[in-house]
Amino acid sequence: MIEKENIEDFAKTLREKTKGLKPISAQLEMTYRCDLDCVHCYCKNYMDGDEISIEQWKNILDQLYSAGCLYLTFTGGEPFLKKGFLEAYDHAKKKGFIITVFSNGMSLTDADIEYLAKCPPFSIEITVHAMDKDVFDSISGQKGSFELVMKNIKKLVDAKVQVIIKTVILKENKNEIFKVKKFAEELLGPKKFKTDSFIIPTLTGDTTPCEHRLSPKEIQNIEESDVDMIMQREEQFQKHTPMMRDIKYKYHCNSWFNQVFISPSGKLKFCHISKHYTYDLTKVPLEEAFYINFPSIWEEENHHYYKCMTCELREYCHYCPARAYLETGDEYSSVEYYCELAKLRKERHERSNRMRESE
C-alpha cells in the first residue's frame, strides 16, 4: 500500500517538474444521480445530456492514459449508481491509475466492498455529516441513511480498504464537526479526516444551498479551534500559487493546466462548475480538446474593469468568474461572502507568519 505522505510528496514533485499543459489528474463525474438529497449539493437536479456508456468511459480512460494522466477521481452524484461502474473502475486499475473514489457510502453493496477489498483504490472518501443520526438524516434528506453509511464504513474498514472521512461544515452540523473527527480518528487513525466549508449554488443556479452556510467568522472559529484544521488550511494555502497575470485577462486560475473534469455525458470541462469551454469527447479526441481548444481560455480577456481584478485579497479569495456567475448570474461581479472569507484568511495567514517568525 502506498503511504499517503509518499504519494503527496510525489505529486508535489511532479507538479513542480511539469511545465505547461499536461492532464496529470482527472475528475470523472460518472453520474449526477444520487440516492441522497443533501441540502448543500451543487449538482442536484442537473443534467447536461444523456449519460455515456461504460464502453465510452473506457475509451476516455484509454485516452487519458495515452495523454499521461496519473490520478483519477471517480465521483458524481454517486458513482456506484452508474450501471457498470466497477467495469470502468477495473479498466482504470489495470491501466495503473492512482484512484480515489468519492462516495456517499449509501449505495455500496457487499459485492462492491468485496471487489474493492480485492482491487483497492488509493482511498475512498465518504462524507459523514454528523454523529447524531437525526442531524445526519436531516442533511442527507434520507431517513435511515446514517445507519446504512456507518455500517458500510465499518465494512470497508474491516475489508482493509483505505477510508477517508469528510465533513461539510454547515449550519445544521456545526456542533457535530469534532464528534465526527473523533469518530474518524478512533476508527481510522490520524490524518484520515477532512473538512470543507465551501458551499456554492447548484449548477442550475439555485442559491438554496447557500442558505446553509455558516458565517465566515463562525467558520474561522471552528477551524481555529483545532490544530489539525489549522494545519490543513495552511497546507491548502501553501499549495495555492496565485497567478500574477496582466489584469486584462479574465481567468487567473491555473488548475486546468494539469487537471480536467469530465461530465456524465462525456463532456470535457476546464472547470467542474462552469458550462463554458466544454468539448464532447464522444466526438472530439481528448488531446485535441485539451491541447488545441482549451488554450483559448488562457487568452480570453476581460470586457471591462471589475472590482476583483486588482483586489489585494485576491490570493486569499475563492472568487472566480465561474463561482461569481453561479452566485449572481454575472461573471464579473464580486461576492461579499467571499470578500469576508478572504479578509479573515489574510489575517490568519499573517498571524501564522508572525508566530513562526517569533519562534
Side-chain angles (χ1 to χ4, degrees):
M1 179 70 70
I2 302 174
E3 292 295 328
K4 181 174 184 290
E5 289 74 15
N6 291 342
I7 202 72
E8 288 184 347
D9 288 343
F10 173 69
K12 180 180 179 182
T13 301
L14 185 63
R15 285 194 298 269
E16 290 172 349
K17 290 186 175 182
T18 301
K19 302 296 183 182
L21 290 171
K22 187 74 172 178
I24 294 173
S25 66
Q27 184 166 302
L28 311 183
E29 300 167 327
M30 302 302 293
T31 179
Y32 286 133
R33 292 175 289 117
C34 188
D35 46 1
L36 297 181
D37 187 26
C38 296
V39 296
H40 59 283
C41 179
Y42 76 92
C43 60
K44 188 183 300 187
N45 301 321
Y46 183 71
M47 291 289 290
D48 70 344
D50 295 333
E51 292 183 7
I52 59 174
S53 68
I54 292 301
E55 286 303 314
Q56 288 171 310
W57 273 118
K58 287 162 71 173
N59 178 265
I60 289 172
L61 287 166
D62 290 343
Q63 292 186 63
L64 286 167
Y65 178 80
S66 296
C69 182
L70 291 176
Y71 304 95
L72 291 182
T73 299
F74 286 109
T75 182
E78 171 52 49
F80 285 92
L81 289 183
K82 175 67 176 178
K83 187 176 180 180
F85 166 61
L86 287 181
E87 184 180 343
Y89 175 95
D90 181 70
H91 191 76
K93 280 288 290 185
K94 288 175 179 175
K95 290 286 184 183
F97 290 105
I98 298 170
I99 299 173
T100 297
V101 181
F102 291 171
S103 174
N104 62 28
M106 268 278 290
S107 306
L108 291 165
T109 64
D110 288 345
D112 293 332
I113 294 170
E114 183 179 350
Y115 178 85
L116 293 176
K118 293 177 182 176
C119 300
F122 176 66
S123 67
I124 179 168
E125 299 192 4
I126 296 178
T127 301
V128 175
H129 304 300
M131 295 312 296
D132 182 294
K133 67 177 182 178
D134 293 329
V135 175
F136 188 110
D137 291 355
S138 71
I139 293 171
S140 73
Q142 180 68 43
K143 189 172 179 59
S145 58
F146 174 79
E147 285 90 349
L148 283 171
V149 172
M150 289 294 110
K151 188 179 296 184
N152 282 335
I153 287 174
K154 289 174 181 176
K155 286 181 180 179
L156 285 165
V157 173
D158 289 343
K160 302 194 183 309
V161 178
Q162 183 164 225
V163 176
I164 303 292
I165 299 295
K166 302 188 294 188
T167 300
V168 180
I169 301 175
L170 304 162
K171 287 180 179 178
E172 291 84 352
N173 68 353
K174 65 180 181 180
N175 296 321
E176 291 286 311
I177 304 301
F178 294 111
K179 296 176 185 177
V180 178
K181 183 175 187 284
K182 182 181 178 182
F183 164 76
E185 290 175 340
E186 291 178 349
L187 182 66
L188 307 171
K191 296 186 178 181
K192 296 294 190 294
F193 174 72
K194 297 179 179 179
T195 59
D196 185 8
S197 59
F198 191 58
I199 311 299
I200 60 174
T202 70
L203 296 178
T204 62
D206 181 2
T207 59
T208 302
C210 300
E211 297 173 3
H212 302 276
R213 288 171 171 165
L214 287 175
S215 71
K217 189 63 179 176
E218 288 176 307
I219 292 171
Q220 183 189 49
N221 289 341
I222 289 173
E223 293 179 348
E224 293 200 347
S225 63
D226 182 83
V227 173
D228 294 330
M229 286 192 193
I230 292 172
M231 291 180 64
Q232 182 182 335
R233 293 298 176 261
E234 284 297 309
E235 287 172 4
Q236 289 174 344
F237 181 83
Q238 294 300 328
K239 285 180 181 179
H240 169 64
T241 303
M243 297 298 297
M244 303 305 292
R245 304 186 71 211
D246 191 293
I247 61 172
K248 72 177 183 179
Y249 293 112
K250 183 175 182 180
Y251 294 101
H252 286 228
C253 174
N254 65 335
S255 66
W256 64 275
F257 260 42
N258 301 128
Q259 183 176 26
V260 295
F261 303 87
I262 303 175
S263 78
S265 63
K267 292 185 176 64
L268 183 73
K269 305 186 293 184
F270 85 102
C271 171
H272 72 296
I273 63 173
S274 176
K275 300 175 185 178
H276 298 316
Y277 299 101
T278 62
Y279 298 93
D280 188 343
L281 295 182
T282 66
K283 299 176 181 177
V284 180
L286 184 142
E287 291 200 16
E288 178 183 329
F290 186 78
Y291 288 110
I292 298 176
N293 298 333
F294 265 20
S296 61
I297 305 166
W298 193 238
E299 297 303 320
E300 184 168 346
E301 297 185 5
N302 291 310
H303 300 307
H304 56 266
Y305 176 84
Y306 64 105
K307 176 183 174 182
C308 300
M309 286 171 64
T310 56
C311 180
E312 63 176 9
L313 297 172
R314 188 171 185 110
E315 66 180 289
Y316 303 93
C317 190
H318 275 307
Y319 168 82
C320 77
R323 293 187 183 118
Y325 183 81
L326 283 182
E327 196 99 5
T328 69
D330 179 4
E331 288 190 320
Y332 295 98
S333 65
S334 60
V335 180
E336 184 59 33
Y337 187 81
Y338 298 154
C339 297
E340 293 178 30
L341 279 171
K343 290 174 186 175
L344 291 174
R345 286 195 178 97
K346 182 182 179 184
E347 290 172 6
R348 178 169 62 193
H349 184 65
E350 291 177 343
R351 188 163 59 248
S352 296
N353 283 342
R354 287 194 297 271
M355 290 176 65
R356 280 194 290 268
E357 289 170 0
S358 65
E359 289 178 353

